[in-house]
Amino acid sequence: MSLASTLWKYVKPHKGLAIINVLCNLGMVVFSVASIPALIPFLQILFGLEELTTEAPPLAWNLGSLKANFYFWLSEIIRTEGYNNALIYMCLGIILVFFGKNLFRYLSTATMAPLRSNVVRDLRQDLFKHVVQLPIGYFSSSKRGDLISRFTGDVQEVENSVLNSVQALIQNPLLIFGALIVMLFISPKLTLFTIVLLGVTGFIIGGISRRLKKQSGEVQAALGDMTSQIDEAIGGLRVVKAFGAEDYVADRFGESNKNYRDTLVKLLRRRDLSGPLSEFLGIGVVTVLIYFGFQQIQAGAIDVAVFLAFIYAFFSTIQPSKQFSNAFYSLQRGRAAMDRVQEVMNTANPVVDASGTQSVDALQRELTFENVSFQYDNADVPALDGVSLSLPVGKVVALVGASGAGKSTLADLIPRFYDVDSGSISLDGTDIRKLKLIDLRNLIGVVSQDVVLFHDTIRANIVFGAENATDAQVEEASRLANAHDFISEQPQGYATVIGDRGARLSGGQRQRITLARAILQNRPIMILDEATSALDAESEKLVQSALFRLMEGRTSLVIAHRMATIQEADEILVMERGKVIERGDHATLLEKGGTYARLIELQSADRP
Ligand code: ADP
């Protein structure tokens, strides 16, 4: 989509404001341009250059007649009330014209402010909505920091550059055009001369601005890179510190910081050239004009008053020209930012686009994987290679295996965070790609290793995704998750805010909050990624019993690390490098004395 059509899409809902804004701009232009010819009789009276007319000229709708009548009216006033009063009238007239001009000018900026912030608000909202529905895969391959900088930096840049310039780009050409028309009436020769000079100036300035867009893109990209590094380093600070890698990350950040600084300086140098350059060129034009103007006066082609009005007209094009060229620069910068926002907006969601239409509201028989293979876009080897499994309703299937074996990948395929490359996953015999995505996801509850809690109250964290739950239901779920007791002990109970300034919860407590969330959601299929981090014995027991309650009456796929869960599972799949290498229940697998038996042996050895 081009910049103009994108802008229009966002301006359209606020058409009323936009129309008022355009009208105010027109009003301002009319008053500005009117102030120029109004000046001529004023100056002529002042210099005593004009003869008083005594005969009323015939009235007609042409410029000559209007002008003659205006002079006649002025002559009458001078004759009846004297020069002084005429001058006072002219002064009042000029004040009125400038009042009108500035009133409209204020109104146009006053309507632009809400218009601009509405557009940016909508853009930001759309971007957010789009981003959160993008597939998980998008976020692992593109950097989070970069995305954040698009939200903050680029959207802001669109507001500052594009939207600010749009007004300037419409208003200023009108002002310049109006002034040029008046100049043309005053003196076609001088006007032609001015236009040529302005053309040359414009060409020079335009040349600089062409490179600005490219450089702006580079600056924003450098900023994105820097934000990514901050995000990575702070997110992984625990690891950074554990490995004593503070200097390493600081050096890496230093490089990115330097790169940002360098590109920014390059951009600013070029941008800062525009003001001084255009002022210098403008003054050059004025001096040439003054020289030729005086020659014309001496030749008797125009009088001083007319020439002064012409110079005034010319001066009244300088400010708009400056603003226009600034706006043009800005627009180049803004376009680069808009491109970066659009890039995210245009990322299609393959999972949603291919989504099926069949509704589903329950798991009747089983969830099956048939010969499923899957490879990440950026990986060389498949993460899953010909995996088959059956998860009958009400049963528990446990996945065990070394880290990197493909367990999480397998779990991610069920809610379609990714789609299989080959083979199929079916729910009661229907390929999940034929089901409505929202229906499918509504069947699935996920408790993952990384406990995700939001900076909000405990209650809000539990009802997440089940907003209609009553307090009684929330409490019931918390009790089942062994969380009620510690929540009640918090300063504000369920209303306690979790986060820096609120409750400090232990790892086990945080896990139990997510378990309460899953219990409250009450989804028939549970995907559990058991946390590996060691909990103290007491916590472990509480979490484990909550886990069992959660699995009760549900169909569960568990990435199991705890002995208790593994032993209770109806079937255990042992995975290695994307393949299922052993399967059976605990007793059978132990007896077999293969990989599973070794894993269990290792785990028991770890335990005190
Ligand atoms: P597990 O859960 O058993 O530890 P995973 O399913 O996380 O294993 O990983 C399986 C394989 O896929 C590993 O080789 C891992 O490096 C790779 N992998 C996991 N996530 C991604 C990703 N987002 N992009 C590329 N490769 C990935």
Side-chain angles (χ1 to χ4, degrees):
M1 230 194 275
S2 75
L3 184 69
S5 54
T6 311
L7 275 183
W8 178 235
K9 179 179 152 212
Y10 284 96
V11 169
K12 220 158 103 187
H14 314 290
K15 258 194 304 229
L17 268 176
I19 291 172
I20 297 175
N21 181 265
V22 169
L23 290 180
C24 291
N25 272 315
L26 280 177
M28 178 196 163
V29 169
V30 167
F31 274 97
S32 301
V33 173
S35 69
I36 306 167
L39 209 64
I40 298 179
F42 178 74
L43 290 171
Q44 286 177 328
I45 290 173
L46 214 60
F47 292 131
L49 290 170
E50 193 73 13
E51 301 272 309
L52 299 187
T53 31
T54 46
E55 296 264 315
L59 199 60
W61 280 114
N62 65 56
L63 214 69
S65 162
L66 287 179
K67 188 178 158 195
N69 273 284
F70 182 73
Y71 274 103
F72 173 67
W73 174 74
L74 210 61
S75 308
E76 283 289 291
I77 291 174
I78 293 170
R79 257 196 311 279
T80 51
E81 302 189 35
Y83 266 101
N84 215 21
N85 275 7
L87 207 56
I88 290 173
Y89 289 145
M90 287 308 301
C91 289
L92 287 178
I94 287 181
I95 286 177
L96 204 70
V97 167
F98 277 85
F99 176 77
K101 170 183 166 179
N102 284 288
L103 180 72
F104 279 114
R105 179 168 151 194
Y106 171 71
L107 289 178
S108 69
T109 37
T111 46
M112 193 63 197
L115 181 63
R116 205 176 59 197
S117 25
N118 287 352
V119 166
V120 173
R121 177 200 56 200
D122 297 351
L123 179 67
R124 210 180 278 129
Q125 194 67 27
D126 275 4
L127 186 63
F128 189 86
K129 263 196 190 149
H130 186 76
V131 165
V132 290
Q133 59 92 41
L134 282 175
I136 299 278
Y138 177 78
F139 297 93
S140 35
S141 60
S142 87
K143 295 179 181 172
R144 271 198 309 175
D146 180 59
L147 204 58
I148 292 169
S149 98
R150 287 180 200 223
F151 258 102
T152 50
D154 290 299
V155 173
Q156 196 60 46
E157 185 71 36
V158 169
E159 167 161 19
N160 291 344
S161 333
V162 181
L163 296 170
N164 266 345
S165 349
V166 167
Q167 162 143 337
L169 288 177
I170 295 170
Q171 186 186 71
N172 293 310
L174 285 177
L175 280 172
I176 297 171
F177 185 70
L180 279 178
I181 297 277
V182 175
M183 284 157 75
L184 213 56
F185 271 110
I186 299 175
S187 163
K189 222 186 218 168
L190 281 179
T191 310
L192 209 65
F193 196 69
T194 318
I195 289 176
V196 172
L197 290 177
L198 284 181
V200 175
T201 321
F203 182 76
I204 297 173
I205 293 173
I208 303 174
S209 87
R210 269 187 280 283
R211 283 209 49 196
L212 268 166
K213 182 186 172 194
K214 189 170 152 267
Q215 284 182 334
S216 291
E218 285 166 13
V219 168
Q220 293 292 337
L223 184 64
D225 181 60
M226 199 164 73
T227 322
S228 290
Q229 298 226 1
I230 298 171
D231 182 55
E232 255 173 36
I234 293 179
L237 207 55
R238 200 177 270 276
V239 180
V240 171
K241 284 189 186 299
F243 285 85
E246 288 96 335
D247 288 345
Y248 170 73
V249 290
D251 284 349
R252 236 167 55 117
F253 180 73
E255 267 173 41
S256 165
N257 195 3
K258 177 176 177 301
N259 179 36
Y260 174 63
R261 178 251 171 225
D262 293 347
T263 29
L264 188 65
V265 166
K266 255 196 258 170
L267 174 82
L268 291 181
R269 272 199 196 126
R270 192 168 283 269
R271 202 196 57 188
D272 293 343
L273 191 61
S274 79
L277 189 70
S278 50
E279 173 157 339
F280 178 71
L281 292 174
I283 288 299
V285 175
V286 171
T287 41
V288 177
L289 256 186
I290 289 178
Y291 176 76
F292 279 97
F294 272 102
Q295 286 202 331
Q296 296 253 305
I297 293 173
Q298 271 170 352
I302 50 174
D303 66 35
V304 180
V306 171
F307 179 62
L308 286 180
F310 185 86
I311 291 287
Y312 171 70
F314 175 71
F315 266 108
S316 67
T317 64
I318 290 188
Q319 188 63 13
S321 309
K322 241 196 216 153
Q323 278 176 0
F324 183 74
S325 73
N326 278 346
F328 204 71
Y329 278 107
S330 266
L331 194 67
Q332 301 303 325
R333 273 214 326 267
R335 283 173 74 145
M338 195 64 171
D339 284 351
R340 285 165 48 81
V341 171
Q342 287 277 306
E343 205 183 323
V344 180
M345 291 281 222
N346 292 340
T347 313
N349 186 346
V351 173
V352 167
D353 287 347
S355 204
T357 50
Q358 214 162 314
S359 296
V360 58
D361 59 3
L363 174 69
Q364 310 279 1
R365 297 187 310 275
E366 58 174 357
L367 180 83
T368 48
F369 275 57
E370 259 171 70
N371 212 9
V372 166
S373 295
F374 173 78
Q375 182 163 346
Y376 288 101
D377 287 343
N378 52 351
D380 308 324
V381 286
L384 290 180
D385 188 1
V387 172
S388 297
L389 73 86
S390 159
L391 177 56
V393 67
K395 302 284 182 191
V396 177
V397 168
L399 302 174
V400 296
S403 153
K407 306 181 295 290
S408 312
T409 307
L410 190 155
D412 280 350
L413 293 182
I414 302 173
R416 292 187 64 200
F417 290 156
Y418 303 97
D419 271 339
V420 300
D421 292 339
S422 65
S424 67
I425 303 174
S426 320
L427 201 104
D428 294 331
T430 312
D431 192 308
I432 57 171
R433 282 168 292 189
K434 295 206 179 103
L435 300 173
K436 275 196 183 135
L437 188 65
I438 180 123
D439 285 1
L440 173 70
R441 289 194 180 157
N442 275 338
L443 292 180
I444 303 168
V446 178
V447 176
S448 76
Q449 271 209 41
D450 32 312
V451 173
V452 180
L453 293 180
F454 295 90
H455 183 82
D456 205 337
T457 61
I458 294 181
R459 188 183 191 282
N461 268 289
I462 295 176
V463 298
F464 192 72
E467 274 78 11
N468 299 327
T470 62
D471 286 347
Q473 287 171 322
V474 173
E475 194 181 311
E476 163 80 8
S478 306
R479 278 185 201 282
L480 289 172
N482 291 331
H484 178 69
D485 290 346
F486 82 81
I487 295 174
S488 308
E489 285 162 17
Q490 296 298 316
Q492 274 106 36
Y494 283 86
T496 311
V497 174
I498 304 175
D500 302 339
R501 278 155 288 123
R504 291 185 177 280
L505 303 175
S506 74
Q509 290 172 333
R510 298 173 77 89
Q511 272 179 20
R512 279 178 278 153
I513 289 187
T514 59
L515 291 177
R517 180 194 286 167
I519 291 174
L520 188 66
Q521 275 188 336
N522 195 19
R523 304 279 167 84
I525 304 172
M526 280 312 304
I527 298 174
L528 298 170
D529 195 348
E530 283 187 336
T532 42
S533 57
L535 298 174
D536 59 84
E538 177 64 21
S539 238
E540 168 91 36
K541 250 184 21 218
L542 289 172
V543 170
Q544 189 62 52
S545 75
L547 269 175
F548 277 133
R549 279 195 208 123
L550 177 59
M551 288 192 277
E552 232 166 61
R554 296 193 170 84
T555 310
S556 312
L557 181 79
V558 192
I559 298 176
H561 298 288
R562 292 189 174 84
M563 280 296 280
T565 321
I566 302 174
Q567 284 177 13
E568 294 288 322
D570 296 291
E571 190 180 25
I572 299 161
L573 304 186
V574 184
M575 297 191 61
E576 199 176 277
R577 289 198 207 101
K579 288 191 159 83
V580 177
I581 51 166
E582 285 174 20
R583 60 176 86 210
D585 63 13
H586 180 67
T588 331
L589 287 173
L590 266 191
E591 212 170 291
K592 202 171 156 197
T595 311
Y596 181 75
R598 268 203 309 284
L599 275 171
I600 293 298
E601 208 174 301
L602 278 175
Q603 215 184 59
S604 337
D606 275 350
R607 300 203 167 224

